[in-house]
Amino acid sequence: MTDSYADLMATALLPYSGLAPQALRLRCVGVLGAAEAIAAELNRERATDDEVVTALTDLIVGGLDARAARWALNGKASRSGAS
């Protein structure tokens, strides 16, 4: 079942991502695993609905183009004097 969900997610997100299709699909597999773990936290009442939605949204959006995120981090590090 994970395969079909990962394929569906990757197909839907591909137009919004700068990643190659296989790289995006692999990230989708990771997000699905994270979603399962976060759902367990919600079921154990260790997180609220709003926290869960925010966390999953951030994971999905953050994974659309990891290269841009790495570039932003490297840019901040070089501006702050850190390496």
Side-chain angles (χ1 to χ4, degrees), residues 21-52:
Q22 188 58 27
L24 179 60
R25 187 186 178 287
L26 187 56
R27 282 165 178 78
C28 290
V29 170
V31 168
L32 289 170
E36 186 175 347
I38 290 171
E41 290 297 293
L42 180 64
N43 287 335
R44 293 182 186 111
E45 299 181 356
R46 294 185 207 167
T48 66
D49 290 350
D50 288 341
E51 291 169 331
V52 166

Side-chain angles (χ1 to χ4, degrees), residues 13-14 16-20 23-24 27 58-72:
L13 295 173
L14 188 60
Y16 308 100
S17 175
L19 295 169
L24 179 60
R27 282 165 178 78
D58 289 349
L59 286 170
I60 293 167
V61 172
L64 287 178
D65 192 350
R67 291 173 295 191
R70 282 194 297 272
W71 178 85

